[in-house]
Amino acid sequence: MFKHYRELQDVVSLMVYCTSDKSFLLLKETSGEYWIPSIKSEKNSWKMSAHKLLFELFGTESGAQLSPLRVNKVWLPAHPAPCVYHAVYKLTIRADVKKRLKVKPSVRFRLQWVGEAELGRLQAHCALRSPELLLLATMFTGEPLKEADLADLDKGQLVEVGEESVLVGAVEAGVAAGAGGAASAAPSAQLLAAANYTKEDQMRLFREFVTLNFPALYMSQHVFSQLMLDIGWHRTVCNNLFRAADVSNRGGLSFQELVLWSAATEPVTQHSGLPAEIRCRYIFRYYDGDRDQKLQQVEVKELVAAARATRQLSTDALSVVRDVDLCYKQLGLQANSPLSLADFLRAVRELRLRGTSSLLRAPRSLLGYVIDLQERDCMAKAASVKSTTHFEPEGEVRPSKAKVDKLEVRDSTSWRRGREQYALASCVVRLEQDAPPAVLRLDCFEEEAVSASTIKLLSLSSTSLEVLAADSSPAETLAAVHYFASDINTPKLVKPAYTWAQQSELAALGAAVLKLSESVQVICAAEPRLLRLDSPIYAIGDLHGNLPALLAMEARLWPAGAALLPAGLLFLGDFVDRGAWGVELLAYLLAAKLQRPRGLHLVRGNHETRDIQTMFTFYTECTTKFGDVEGVKIWNAINNVFDVLPLAAVVDEKVFCCHGGIPPPWVCPRVSAILRVPVPLPRPAAQSHMAWELLWNDPVKLLSHHIYTVHFTFTPRHIAFTQIDIWNYRANKITASMAMELSANEGFAVNARRGTGHVFDQRALDRFLAANDLTHVVRAHELHQNGFMCNLRGKLISVFSSSRYCGGDNDSGVVLLQAGKLRLIRLSD
């Protein structure tokens, strides 16, 4: 009846009963389901609308015979109207009036008179739009129908469907509260927490639920099946899916039943504890074809075959029977006997049945699909409003545009960033061949270039000059880094590249780093832990103190400076350790970040932690260059910035970028959970398991036997190498033990070669991408000879940007994300 949520309005229906043959007048809809004749309420008058519907049916006025039967009041979140009503009127007619049924010929064949017994049969075959029809018939006649199970339906004349009675509970930061005041340990609350469903997520699902079903209060099998088809389920399994979701066996789903089903079948919902038990109950009902609360042998074999398929094992009849017989023997059950729900749960709990964690996983997140629909609808509405001038009816209350944006579009912390208004910058950048950019005040030009009114306006702002002018702290720092990297041989100064001519120059750099760190720390602390970025953008991997590699990128990709680059820059961590010039590299990045805070982004790597730096070289580098006191001060200032760095980014809502790898679903069910990582994060290993996984995880790799031995020796002007073992890796052949661990843990296994975190396989990556509606992952963390590596069917790109790493001969890699393409750039010396 309604295509869009914003179109919802009051509906009036007629429950017409003929006393002579005890039949009800129903309308067979195009879907094949039966419902009572209904009409949208006109002029805010239910009774007038009921009279109109009555006239259309019988061609006569029988207003005196109409009386209210039931009124449903349904809450509408994020809607101009706070609620919507469904008013049902009852009408008793005689056989002669029944013969006067008068409707258009195209509709006549859809109107049918259905007896009470036939009504029960239609319900048993899920042919009613909602089980409410049985309740309405019972309320009308006063004689309960034997076939109807109405125990959990509200039988009152006025039914209020409000926020408190609809939402299962608020789930914020992993804490759930039951809707009826239950403790946070309630099974339903734990299931929502496992799926990372917030209160706002439930409201989004409720909006779609009402749009699809109103004026009905329950979701029919037909509507449910269409929804399952939309998210990728095959049509042949939709009946089984509805049987599993319809836990009350009433033939229609309440909103709470739908949201719990959605949470249980989310691709990333964890399969442990109470959530796992709830999921297993759904799995049991899915295979219980006759609803007898027992799985017959053929049903058990079907379940075992599906479980073996998820583990990539053979599903031939002999293997399946062998697994079934072994399971029955371990459970102490007689062969060929039915399997009860209790025995099934025990078999899963005791690991007699394996592979259930991957069963009943939706091909796509239902919540993600609904959000996409609502965002698309919101954008279409905004486009129509923008292109069409319209007048609001006098007295009609509509929310402001700001309020609509806040309610109908996902907030900026979880989805797309808002577009900012442009303003004229207060400076001019002059580019000359073979000369650094020169920055001039725009209001210093003659009037032929800038009008007097513009000069007056620009005199009030000098933000651009504060970060771009030659005497600004960021510009001075960048100039100092370029000076440090230059080979100078003049009569007045002789200085090899990558050295300081005087110790005072190094001290000045340290002072600049302290100042820049303080400013950048404030900027990064205000950023979300999960960045939402728009392309074009360059993704840059590990640099590890390799200043020459960074400057080589600058010369080829942003020769006029990072501040003037049309694309964004995304650095994926590991800025320090192993390389000789971590301080100088950080000075460059901090200065560039301050010049362009919303165009250059720094993501934390596993070497941006104090413990790792003291084990490797960055701590020693700081104290060697600046002394024990000042060096520790500078080291702490830089690490204070590291403590507040974002942990990941999503580009164009399709590409997930981080340093290490994707986290397990039991740690991070959806990427929005990253937003809740605490800030600051000085001890990620102890403070956030999720952050630690993002910093350390790898795709599955096999350790080869090649080792590079490197040496570091620090002096005030030079840093040579000291002993460190660097391992070289190549694509793996998964061992049998690792395959078992990956299968048992949703595609994750212990990361043995790093001694922490996890490795993940293709299935884990596919589930992660599907759960978050993503297409690719771009990460760093591993050395590759060409500067990058594409693996896991091209869905995961590893980029490494430190060329000639630790004395090797590898190239530097960069990934350009632009216009839906991942372009791999290889920078060779």
Side-chain angles (χ1 to χ4, degrees):
M1 180 172 283
F2 299 98
K3 292 184 178 180
H4 302 288
Y5 181 70
R6 61 178 179 272
E7 297 175 355
L8 288 171
Q9 65 179 84
D10 293 357
V11 172
V12 175
S13 299
L14 285 184
M15 190 78 179
V16 184
Y17 180 69
C18 181
T19 55
S20 60
D21 56 4
K22 296 184 179 181
S23 61
F24 294 94
L25 180 63
L26 300 183
L27 177 68
K28 187 175 183 180
E29 299 181 333
T30 55
S31 63
E33 297 173 314
Y34 288 86
W35 185 244
I36 48 179
S38 303
I39 189 174
K40 296 177 182 177
S41 179
E42 297 182 359
K43 299 181 180 179
N44 293 325
S45 175
W46 298 343
K47 201 159 191 177
M48 182 186 300
S49 302
H51 290 166
K52 180 179 178 180
L53 181 57
L54 178 61
F55 184 79
E56 291 179 354
L57 290 173
F58 299 101
T60 182
E61 281 287 350
S62 303
Q65 298 175 337
L66 288 176
S67 59
L69 178 63
R70 181 181 173 97
V71 176
N72 295 334
K73 177 184 177 182
V74 180
W75 165 60
L76 296 181
H79 191 277
C83 60
V84 66
Y85 293 88
H86 178 214
V88 182
Y89 286 84
K90 63 180 180 179
L91 173 66
T92 303
I93 62 172
R94 302 183 305 274
D96 60 316
V97 179
K98 178 180 178 179
K99 296 178 181 179
R100 296 204 304 264
L101 189 63
K102 179 182 179 181
V103 293
K104 297 178 181 179
S106 60
V107 182
R108 175 181 289 275
F109 76 94
R110 294 170 52 194
L111 287 169
Q112 298 183 20
W113 292 93
V114 177
E116 296 178 12
E118 179 65 17
L119 196 63
R121 284 193 290 271
L122 290 174
Q123 172 64 7
H125 290 86
C126 297
L128 298 182
R129 182 175 175 182
S130 173
E132 295 167 78
L133 285 182
L134 292 173
L135 179 61
L136 292 174
T138 301
M139 295 174 63
F140 199 118
T141 62
E143 298 178 2
L145 299 175
K146 296 180 181 179
E147 294 85 356
D149 181 10
L150 309 176
D152 61 340
L153 297 183
D154 193 330
K155 304 174 182 61
Q157 288 187 310
L158 175 61
V159 176
E160 293 189 75
V161 180
E163 178 178 356
E164 296 78 9
S165 60
V166 167
L167 302 185
V168 175
V171 184
E172 296 294 344
V175 179
S184 61
S188 58
Q190 290 197 33
L191 177 61
L192 292 182
N196 199 32
Y197 274 21
T198 65
K199 179 180 178 181
E200 288 71 23
D201 292 331
Q202 290 191 63
M203 291 170 63
R204 294 186 182 102
L205 285 172
F206 182 69
R207 289 169 55 188
E208 188 66 17
F209 180 88
V210 175
T211 305
L212 291 173
N213 300 293
F214 189 77
L217 295 182
Y218 295 87
M219 176 175 283
S220 68
Q221 179 172 338
H222 174 76
V223 176
F224 174 84
S225 297
Q226 287 299 124
L227 198 56
M228 295 300 101
L229 291 173
D230 289 341
I231 62 174
W233 289 101
H234 196 273
R235 187 177 299 276
T236 57
V237 303
C238 286
N239 289 343
N240 293 357
L241 295 175
F242 183 78
R243 181 176 64 245
D246 186 16
V247 296
S248 62
N249 295 329
R250 74 167 75 87
L253 302 183
S254 67
F255 170 72
Q256 290 189 2
E257 289 170 339
L258 178 67
V259 75
L260 290 175
W261 162 264
S262 176
T265 56
E266 279 284 337
V268 295
T269 297
Q270 68 182 30
H271 194 79
S272 61
L274 277 177
E277 181 177 336
I278 297 174
R279 277 184 34 78
C280 286
R281 290 176 183 273
Y282 282 120
I283 294 170
F284 185 89
R285 282 192 294 272
Y286 178 91
Y287 290 98
D288 183 15
D290 53 5
R291 297 177 183 261
D292 63 350
Q293 295 295 308
K294 294 180 180 179
L295 295 183
Q296 305 301 324
Q297 273 293 297
V298 63
E299 295 169 340
V300 176
K301 291 176 182 178
E302 184 181 356
L303 188 155
V304 171
R308 286 182 62 88
T310 65
R311 298 162 61 198
Q312 300 180 349
L313 300 176
S314 173
T315 57
D316 62 280
L318 184 60
S319 299
V320 171
V321 170
R322 185 169 58 248
D323 279 5
V324 173
D325 290 343
L326 178 61
C327 176
Y328 271 55
K329 182 178 180 180
Q330 292 173 334
L331 293 175
L333 302 177
Q334 291 184 349
N336 300 324
S337 63
L339 187 67
S340 67
L341 174 61
D343 288 332
F344 171 70
L345 294 176
R346 181 162 65 93
V348 174
R349 186 168 53 251
E350 296 176 359
L351 301 180
R352 311 303 184 189
L353 278 176
R354 293 182 175 271
T356 56
S357 63
S358 298
L359 293 178
L360 221 59
R361 296 285 188 182
R364 181 184 177 186
S365 167
L366 176 61
L367 176 61
Y369 168 75
V370 168
I371 290 172
D372 286 347
L373 286 180
Q374 293 175 357
E375 286 191 339
R376 200 174 305 130
D377 183 48
C378 185
M379 288 187 286
K381 178 183 176 183
S384 64
V385 170
K386 186 176 181 180
S387 60
T388 306
T389 302
H390 66 281
F391 296 93
E392 301 285 354
E394 185 174 354
E396 184 173 358
V397 178
R398 291 179 180 269
S400 65
K401 181 181 184 300
K403 186 175 182 180
V404 171
D405 290 342
K406 180 179 180 181
L407 295 174
E408 295 193 0
V409 184
R410 300 192 83 173
D411 56 72
S412 60
T413 61
S414 60
W415 282 105
R416 186 178 297 278
R417 295 182 292 115
R419 307 296 187 197
E420 292 191 19
Q421 298 295 325
Y422 274 81
L424 184 63
S426 57
C427 65
V428 174
V429 180
R430 184 171 63 196
L431 299 178
E432 297 181 5
Q433 190 171 3
D434 299 328
V439 180
L440 305 174
R441 291 186 65 92
L442 185 58
D443 55 9
C444 295
F445 285 79
E446 298 178 357
E447 190 172 342
E448 59 201 34
V450 186
S451 67
S453 61
T454 302
I455 291 176
K456 183 177 180 180
L457 176 66
L458 293 173
S459 64
L460 303 176
S461 174
S462 60
T463 305
S464 298
L465 291 169
E466 291 176 357
V467 294
L468 292 179
D471 59 349
S472 66
S473 179
E476 287 182 341
T477 302
L478 290 172
V481 172
H482 285 99
Y483 161 82
F484 168 75
S486 301
D487 185 358
I488 303 176
N489 189 0
T490 66
K492 294 184 178 180
L493 179 64
V494 176
K495 182 188 79 68
Y498 298 100
T499 62
W500 296 101
Q502 300 177 11
Q503 186 65 27
S504 59
E505 296 171 344
L506 183 59
L509 178 73
V513 168
L514 285 174
K515 184 177 180 181
L516 292 171
S517 297
E518 184 178 352
S519 300
V520 173
Q521 181 183 355
V522 176
I523 295 172
C524 293
E527 293 177 334
R529 300 306 87 196
L530 176 67
L531 300 168
R532 296 282 178 177
L533 308 177
D534 296 323
S535 64
I537 194 165
Y538 289 103
I540 300 166
D542 301 45
L543 288 170
H544 282 297
N546 191 340
L547 182 62
L550 177 61
L551 295 180
M553 283 183 233
E554 177 193 58
R556 301 178 191 185
L557 301 179
W558 58 92
L564 300 180
L565 176 65
L569 291 173
L570 176 63
F571 292 88
L572 296 178
D574 276 12
F575 312 115
V576 298
D577 280 336
R578 295 197 176 111
W581 304 292
V583 174
E584 288 80 4
L585 186 142
L586 257 300
Y588 181 104
L589 293 179
L590 294 175
K593 175 68 175 177
L594 195 56
Q595 282 190 332
R596 196 182 177 199
R598 298 182 185 178
L600 185 148
H601 299 279
L602 306 174
V603 169
R604 192 172 190 174
N606 63 301
H607 280 263
E608 277 69 72
T609 56
R610 291 170 176 81
D611 292 342
I612 299 298
Q613 293 163 24
T614 53
M615 290 172 57
F616 285 83
T617 63
F618 186 57
Y619 177 82
T620 305
E621 178 187 343
C622 290
T623 56
T624 301
K625 289 181 176 180
F626 302 102
D628 291 340
V629 177
E630 194 67 16
V632 172
K633 183 178 179 181
I634 293 172
W635 180 73
N636 279 321
I638 292 173
N639 274 281
N640 288 340
V641 177
F642 293 161
D643 292 342
V644 298
L645 289 182
L647 297 166
V650 174
V651 179
D652 291 339
E653 301 180 6
K654 289 298 179 184
V655 182
F656 181 79
C657 304
C658 66
H659 177 74
I662 62 173
W666 60 86
V667 174
C668 180
R670 294 174 59 223
V671 294
S672 58
I674 299 172
L675 295 167
R676 295 197 287 267
V677 173
V679 181
L681 195 69
R683 301 179 307 280
Q687 292 178 276
S688 174
H689 191 186
M690 186 190 312
W692 196 248
E693 300 279 343
L694 288 166
L695 299 182
W696 283 95
N697 286 2
D698 294 297
V700 179
K701 292 287 179 179
L702 176 68
L703 186 63
S704 73
H705 300 288
H706 303 293
I707 302 176
Y708 293 110
T709 301
V710 188
H711 299 273
F712 288 93
T713 303
F714 290 89
T715 65
R717 292 192 178 186
H718 182 264
I719 302 180
F721 295 109
T722 191
Q723 174 105 22
I724 287 194
D725 291 337
I726 307 297
W727 294 86
N728 185 31
Y729 303 100
R730 57 185 170 85
N732 74 315
K733 295 179 181 178
I734 302 175
T735 63
S737 60
M738 181 182 289
M740 292 181 61
E741 187 177 359
L742 290 169
S743 178
N745 292 285
E746 304 185 60
F748 287 84
V750 173
N751 196 336
R753 68 180 176 88
R754 295 196 186 272
T756 188
H758 289 87
V759 294
F760 56 92
D761 64 7
Q762 183 72 56
R763 289 175 302 164
L765 179 64
D766 289 343
R767 184 181 294 120
F768 175 82
L769 295 175
N772 295 284
D773 195 20
L774 301 168
T775 62
H776 291 81
V777 169
V778 174
R779 44 90 69 170
H781 200 38
E782 289 183 291
L783 169 65
H784 296 291
Q785 185 66 28
N786 295 317
F788 57 83
M789 171 61 72
C790 305
N791 51 6
L792 300 186
R793 299 175 188 167
K795 296 296 184 181
L796 184 138
I797 295 92
S798 301
V799 57
F800 195 86
S801 302
S802 179
S803 60
R804 298 188 177 276
Y805 179 59
C806 294
D809 60 353
N810 66 290
D811 289 337
S812 176
V814 177
V815 180
L816 172 60
L817 296 88
Q818 182 183 33
K821 296 291 185 181
L822 292 161
R823 305 188 185 277
L824 306 178
I825 300 173
R826 180 178 177 182
L827 304 177
S828 302
D829 293 340

